[in-house]
Structure formats: C-alpha cells, structure tokens
C-alpha cells in the first residue's frame, strides 16, 4: 500500500517537518544506539533502545515524505516499519527483519521474554544500518532537513 493510500485510510496524516525537528530526532537516534551498545544495563533495556532508534528512523522517513502516523489509529509501530520500503526505499527483506524486532519487543514487554545475545546484536546493527540509509536518503532527497 502506498503512503497516499494510507493517508486516505486515515492511518497517516499530513505532517510538515523542519530541519530542527529532524536534527533533534537524529540526535535522539544516535543516543539510543549508543545506549544500546552500553554493557551497563540489561539486554532488554539495550534491545528497547535499539528498537526505539529504529522507530525514530522510520518516523523521520515518514516526516521527510510529509506524513506521520495518525494518533487515533492503532498500530503505529507496524505502520512505521512496514512503510520503510515506500518512505526510503528499504529492501523488503530488511523491513521484515525490522518487523521481527517489533514482535520481539512486544513479547518482551507483555510476557517478560528474555532477549538473546544474537537478537540484541542484530537489532543494534540494524538500527545503525537504518540510520545510515536514512541519512543517505535525506542527503539525496531532502537536504533541506539535514
């Protein structure tokens, strides 16, 4: 489904962003990735920080296209992640991997599931990779925001 179609269905709403808003969020993303790499907190907290960085990247990707998720429709995180191929051209297989982190995060939050070391490593690496792709996309297509 396209971004415009999600706008029509009410899952997205129009959003005008600016460089200051994007810079603040990029700094938050960098901090979350740094926190995720810190060995001084639990694996679950580190996973949450890496996942938050992924969601923040996805939010900027939508902002750069003139949208944000609707606050009145559930499933914001799923929408953010699943629209990455449309918003920044993310590979569909990579999007599916990011979506597994969404599911894992829900399991951690709602069932107390533990985070294994490999899932944590891959989530952190994915957050870092997504940030790089987002920055490249912004530089190429929305240099006014960076």
């Amino acid at each position: 489904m396209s971004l415009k179609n999600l706008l029509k269905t009410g899952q997205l709403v129009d959003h005008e962003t600016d460089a200051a808003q994007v810079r603040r969020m990029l700094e938050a993303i960098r901090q979350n990735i740094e926190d995720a790499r810190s060995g001084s907190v639990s694996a679950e907290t580190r996973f949450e920080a890496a996942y938050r960085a992924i969601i923040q990247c996805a939010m900027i990707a939508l902002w750069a296209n003139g949208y944000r998720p609707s606050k009145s429709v559930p499933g914001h995180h799923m929408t953010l992640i699943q629209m990455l191929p449309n918003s920044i051209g993310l590979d569909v297989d990579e999007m599916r991997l990011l979506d597994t982190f969404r599911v894992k995060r829900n399991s951690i939050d709602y069932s107390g599931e533990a985070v294994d070391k490999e899932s944590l490593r891959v989530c952190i690496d994915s957050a870092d990779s997504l940030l790089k792709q987002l920055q490249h996309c912004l530089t190429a297509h929305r240099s006014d925001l960076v």
Side-chain angles (χ1 to χ4, degrees):
M1 186 172 281
S2 74
L3 296 173
K4 288 184 180 190
N5 286 343
L6 288 179
L7 180 67
K8 289 177 186 176
T9 65
Q11 290 179 273
L12 296 179
V13 296
D14 290 320
H15 179 78
E16 189 173 323
T17 193
D18 59 33
Q21 184 181 41
V22 170
R23 278 194 303 268
R24 282 191 307 272
M25 187 70 93
L26 287 170
E27 183 54 38
I29 293 164
R30 289 183 197 100
Q31 184 63 57
N32 279 317
I33 292 171
E34 184 179 322
D35 290 349
R37 289 195 167 114
S38 170
S40 64
V41 294
S42 70
E44 289 74 23
T45 299
R46 294 171 64 200
F47 185 89
E48 177 65 31
Y51 176 77
R52 188 177 316 115
I54 290 166
I55 291 301
Q56 290 168 325
C57 284
M59 183 70 78
I60 292 174
L62 277 182
W63 289 351
N65 282 277
Y67 305 106
R68 69 167 173 74
S70 172
K71 294 177 182 175
S72 63
V73 177
H76 300 142
H77 288 203
M78 183 170 34
T79 300
L80 285 165
I81 290 170
Q82 291 181 355
M83 286 299 100
L84 283 164
N86 297 70
S87 60
I88 62 168
L90 186 72
D91 179 77
V92 172
D93 288 337
E94 183 66 22
M95 179 273 297
R96 288 185 183 122
L97 174 64
L98 298 179
D99 201 46
T100 65
F101 300 138
R102 179 186 61 80
V103 172
K104 185 153 191 78
R105 178 215 176 232
N106 287 343
S107 293
I108 293 164
D109 284 354
Y110 300 113
S111 73
E113 181 181 320
V115 175
D116 60 278
K117 289 180 182 180
E118 182 63 10
S119 293
L120 175 60
R121 182 193 65 75
V122 174
C123 188
I124 294 168
D125 290 348
S126 294
D128 192 49
S129 176
L130 183 60
L131 174 58
K132 288 175 180 152
Q133 185 166 348
L134 173 66
Q135 289 173 315
H136 174 76
C137 187
L138 289 173
T139 301
H141 303 288
R142 288 299 309 266
S143 59
D144 60 306
L145 296 177
V146 289

